[in-house]
Amino acid sequence: MSIFEKLESQVRSYSRGWPVVFHRAQGSWLYTEDEKPYLDFFAGAGALNYGHNNPVLKQALLDYISSDGVTHSLDMHTVAKRDFLNALDEVVFGPRDLHYKVTFPGPGGANAVEAALKLARKVTGKEAVINFTNAFHGMTLGALSVTGNSMKRGGAGIPLVHATPMPYASYFGGAYPDFLYFERLLDDSGSGLNEPAAVIVETVQGEGGINAAELDWLRSLDEICKRREILLIVDDVQMGCGRTGPFFSFEDAGIKPDMICLSKSIGGYGLPLALTLIRPDLDVWAPGEHNGTFRGISPAFVTAAEALRTFWTDDSLEKSTRAKGERVGAVLTEIADEHADLGLVAKGRGLARGLEFPDGETADKVCAAAFERGLLMETSGPDGEVAKLLPPLTVTDDEVEHGLGIIKESVAATLR
Amino acid sequence: MSIFEKLESQVRSYSRGWPVVFHRAQGSWLYTEDEKPYLDFFAGAGALNYGHNNPVLKQALLDYISSDGVTHSLDMHTVAKRDFLNALDEVVFGPRDLHYKVTFPGPGGANAVEAALKLARKVTGKEAVINFTNAFHGMTLGALSVTGNSMKRGGAGIPLVHATPMPYASYFGGAYPDFLYFERLLDDSGSGLNEPAAVIVETVQGEGGINAAELDWLRSLDEICKRREILLIVDDVQMGCGRTGPFFSFEDAGIKPDMICLSKSIGGYGLPLALTLIRPDLDVWAPGEHNGTFRGISPAFVTAAEALRTFWTDDSLEKSTRAKGERVGAVLTEIADEHADLGLVAKGRGLARGLEFPDGETADKVCAAAFERGLLMETSGPDGEVAKLLPPLTVTDDEVEHGLGIIKESVAATLR
Amino acid sequence: MSIFEKLESQVRSYSRGWPVVFHRAQGSWLYTEDEKPYLDFFAGAGALNYGHNNPVLKQALLDYISSDGVTHSLDMHTVAKRDFLNALDEVVFGPRDLHYKVTFPGPGGANAVEAALKLARKVTGKEAVINFTNAFHGMTLGALSVTGNSMKRGGAGIPLVHATPMPYASYFGGAYPDFLYFERLLDDSGSGLNEPAAVIVETVQGEGGINAAELDWLRSLDEICKRREILLIVDDVQMGCGRTGPFFSFEDAGIKPDMICLSKSIGGYGLPLALTLIRPDLDVWAPGEHNGTFRGISPAFVTAAEALRTFWTDDSLEKSTRAKGERVGAVLTEIADEHADLGLVAKGRGLARGLEFPDGETADKVCAAAFERGLLMETSGPDGEVAKLLPPLTVTDDEVEHGLGIIKESVAATLR
Amino acid sequence: MSIFEKLESQVRSYSRGWPVVFHRAQGSWLYTEDEKPYLDFFAGAGALNYGHNNPVLKQALLDYISSDGVTHSLDMHTVAKRDFLNALDEVVFGPRDLHYKVTFPGPGGANAVEAALKLARKVTGKEAVINFTNAFHGMTLGALSVTGNSMKRGGAGIPLVHATPMPYASYFGGAYPDFLYFERLLDDSGSGLNEPAAVIVETVQGEGGINAAELDWLRSLDEICKRREILLIVDDVQMGCGRTGPFFSFEDAGIKPDMICLSKSIGGYGLPLALTLIRPDLDVWAPGEHNGTFRGISPAFVTAAEALRTFWTDDSLEKSTRAKGERVGAVLTEIADEHADLGLVAKGRGLARGLEFPDGETADKVCAAAFERGLLMETSGPDGEVAKLLPPLTVTDDEVEHGLGIIKESVAATLR
């Protein structure tokens, strides 16, 4: 029996589908301890947009550690944090004419969501929140209460209340207006809907099955929130940092949310970092009202700043992501069309792509077949029915083609 | 205006008392960007038990990064995780005859608490939890609901329910039996106390004001929980990893909790890592029922494993912590005795020590005076009335004396 | 200053629109202390379906009281309760082939709802409940949590959670399928909807604005609940006891709910009585698990039994209610048609009828004009925009015409 | 099978211990259908303080009904309500220099409690409430959340939160200060106790086991609440209307609560009536914010006004209740002393008296033995271990002696 079997809780999941032991990683590739390479179309569930161990970031990280830079600093001022804030201001906020205050809510995306919900409730004095069907925002109690997945919700062991789910974009396949129910409930003082402090939304639902909201839908949502004075929180933990092309996933829609949750790839190198960006006038926190031990991991600030400066001072990454995304989308559509009789559907935007199968079992088999062929790809969606493609944005064209080739083969082998 | 003032939310707190910019760190010392040294008796709120940038851990970290070891791995199997689990088994569990399954609940202590509470509720089918007065368990909604501080609770914006606070050890100064109320409520089927799934407790309350529970109290609590089939969760996030002497803070009491929360210094180097240790028969999680992006930060596994092997294969650190703790305690007692008329009280165990002042304002002034003299020391307690000393366990005897000297001066200067 | 102004809380409402002091009552008429008669198209908000002080019931009541029959009996067995249960069995259950156990949940409709929700949660082990937009089920905390009106919900002072509102029949004016959203959320394991124990519904929403669900809608709801094993609770407090024609308002739809809440007119004479009827296999209460002081008001049992035997042993009341309802509906439609430009709408079924105005202010003025002309009529609906007609079912044809005449005049005078 | 067995839910309880069918009642006596008399030391759980069918009240009731007085009136002004309010003002409020606004919250005691809790939350903007161990306040969700009994709480099917139980008077047998824990938690901003809107208390806990709070305890509670600006709600539903001697049970303590809940005997004749009395400046209800169908049952107003004028215009009832209470207490003490080895305890105040047995089984047997001998007496307390004596206040001295004789015999027969 391995030490994993001996000691690790049965809650583990990814290691079940990929029963190997990984050792090292570079760019788009993970290598097992016996040097078997795997092309990584999973990218740390979106935490590795710049690939594994990017050499530029790596060097900055090694330099920082070697020089005994502060590692752990809570919310003290450090040179590393200053440099990161400067990079964020110059590279991200400035060019986009964005004005946000930055909260460091703790190390992960769930912390960013918890802080946003707390602040929205404090600012408005209201407790209710609107979330969307098939949303995923994290596993701590506050974040879980706005998450859709019933198995994960059931894990809470207490009723998860305070949030009411509304239909996400195209929930009815376009047959019915998307905001019909939401607007009607808000208009009707007898509807029984508790008046919401905020709406929390992903622009593309990753865990929910790679559901990409149309830009018009996002604009309508923004307009509804502004008109009704409901705060709009965009959870850009997975879709931000360029996953769909632009730095923020909502940029194409031309909206400016009241709060933005960032984590995963913001650290650049896979180290934990999270931000809650808040409209300056909403910054009504009391000092220390929200805190935590791992708010300032300076090595992550270093790689985060370096990543911003390396990848976001021009639009080359954005353009290449869009282009590669188009290519991936085209091939998935082709595959879906080949199996139109089985109801396969190609989904997604940018390099957040998915292939929906009739059921979770089939999607699992396709992913298993891909793993056998050296490709890491996971499922998502309420029944795990969507094979999800989140390659590093730095994936090469050859790697894209290699991965798509494996996917084609895996689908063919499974559906044969 | 600095970038900090321009961009950072007013929720920041530590940077207010220490308005300098730190640059590098080594051992017990932090250095500002203009190389002013500060002796660190704060140690990352307990996340830096082995000091800043310990050279042995640093080398292991540099080697790992240089070799392109996997950085981010969710819950995949990696060589780094295997090595950490082996170290935990051999160095920690084995010698203590402990048997726990390990859950990686996310990057921080609040995640460890959230996972423990979830699992306790799932296992028992009950929703209520018992916490203690002046407890601190974290800032996410589940962890916050078992935290005592009213300002932090108020930040939630929704009623925090599901937990009932019981008096912590010596809450009535020894005048009344500690478990009087708790036992009576449990015995009385008409008491109105919802039957609890679990009790969550710190052995020494750090944020609560360095309140050290007597070992007998801990044994009684353990006995009550066992007798009544209530799960006992020890939150050892701050007091574990040797802070009070032994690896686990509850070892001296001779108890074996049903679940243990670890974080902060378990990573060894200040990188985010958290564990929820669970009695094997409680491991009833469904695969993926609790998950998260930053569950497996391999650099943290590397420094964590190295720290266990460096510091915990013999009892030298434990002994030195006890000895230094005694010395610190003696001097604090001396100071308190000098100012007995003002009601100063020396508190704590091991290297978790505190000096209680009549009010928060005085404690703040003492800490400010210490900062002026080159010592970092924070306040805790419900009104911030306790100066809290959490030096690295690796602090030298000279550094201890240096720090205590500053504290003496600072108290004298303040109370003069 | 009158004693009312001196002592009565400002929460009073009906007395504001009708600033007179009533003294006696007979049939469809209320008389003030100076003998001014008012035709009562309000009927105790549906508690006086058999009119005021019906002479047959009155005699039975006087006889019972005169003979020192038990007045107050909690849930002891009494001759009066036996007689009522026999009447219920023989007159109501038997002819309709209905099989229910009878719970006496307390004196009012809210008690009947509270008991039904409790039992539904106990039976299913689930906490969530589905209610409908513009529902009204009562003012105690459990009943209020399934009520829609935002002002009344706000009065709770705590977040009302555990219920999710679904669109009531024709909520979108027929433009979209009624159960579209509900069914989709139930089908989708990622929807975020907590799995419901029960659905609670009124067949015609009285307080919500005289919204009459189509019989097909009720049948569909029943089918959905049966198929998905969700308990169906019909709150027939206002619409039962013949208000829409048949004894139970759902009879025309041909459905058999899992639980039925009855109150208001079940007592026959306006005395408090409430019943929660439950499918026999759902009767899993522990003895005394739900109780209350006013469960057995024997004078109410006496008038209740007498009312069942007087009005429900043949179908004459049902037929006359349908006929009168048709007549009232026709006149309201005529009035609405006359003012089609203003958007007046005639609503309702049986003798639960409403006339919807563009806003609450207009409806108030119409009711005030009617009051001046000697007619009692109230408003309902989320904005009080619906003039609500609930005449006693025993109203004579002449009285109907008299009342309708006043309404015509009042509308004309107001909209002139 | 009787119709009771056929139709009535198994939730029924009193009829299980007293398996007879009652027919008529007069004064202190209930008679079965075959004319077997039972001396009633239960008095409708305190709803029949003036006995069954008191001839003066009965005549007023018959006159009112015969004259076609309004029966059901919601919150319209009626002559009957005016007369009741005048009686309340003249007979109750005036002589005691009390100033309260009157809310008619619905027909029963639970409604009075629900309204008080709502208003306390609205006034203070706080959600938390303090209740006491072994409290009983009713079975609707809001009232149940402040009730102690675990079986009844379990019936809710959802976690009952928002209330924290504090130790009732003498909860620790006088060994420890009663408000020790409560005051300490309130003083300590880190205690984790949510700041309470209100305290709700019974002066003598009836259902909780006839626990009579000392007058000093009540005064201390009142003082704590006033000093800390916590609203004090006295639930006088069972102990008011003279049960302990004075009209309000708190009069002897000399306190004036912020809100008072009345029901049960306020109606005088056993008909449902409930009042929530509120300090005038707390009357911040919006019109209709709390309402209900059975707020104005005029027959109950008639008997209520008549009862006030008959029994409370002088102090004869108060004096006789005290005297009879002393006599009952003396005999119970005598019985308890005879069985001191078994731990029997005599409890109570006024004519709310109890005899505590070692366990519920023994108490049940004693009550069964009393029933066999023609006496109705129930159990209360968390384990049903207290035989509870609530005779009508109008019980004659002979009846008292007769009842006490039966109790002596029943105890002797059971403990023999």
Side-chain angles (χ1 to χ4, degrees), chain D residues 35 42 52 125 162 212 247 259 279 283 296 300 337 358 394-395 402:
Chain D
E35 288 297 333
F42 180 50
H52 292 271
H162 301 300
F247 185 80
M259 301 190 201
R279 230 177 57 202
D283 186 18
D337 289 350
T394 52
V395 67
H402 181 63

Side-chain angles (χ1 to χ4, degrees), chain D residues 122-142:
Chain D
K122 174 164 184 166
V123 166
T124 62
K126 298 168 190 164
E127 55 82 30
V129 171
I130 296 298
N131 63 337
F132 289 97
T133 52
N134 289 296
F136 181 88
H137 298 290
M139 298 299 286
T140 53
L141 211 55

Side-chain angles (χ1 to χ4, degrees), chain D residues 108-114 116-117 132 135-139 143-144 146-147 168 199-207 218 221 232-241 244 248-250 255 257-264 274-277:
Chain D
N111 302 94
V113 169
E114 295 263 345
L117 296 177
F132 289 97
F136 181 88
H137 298 290
M139 298 299 286
L144 189 56
V146 289
T147 289
Y168 192 67
V199 165
I200 185 164
V201 69
E202 302 153 279
T203 61
V204 179
Q205 295 181 324
E207 299 308 304
L218 292 170
L221 178 62
L232 179 62
I233 304 168
V234 170
D235 179 343
D236 229 13
V237 166
Q238 191 171 61
M239 293 302 147
C241 304
T244 68
F248 291 113
S249 69
F250 53 78
I255 64 173
D258 300 299
M259 301 190 201
I260 304 163
C261 301
L262 283 181
S263 185
K264 293 199 186 253
L275 311 179
T276 305
L277 307 181

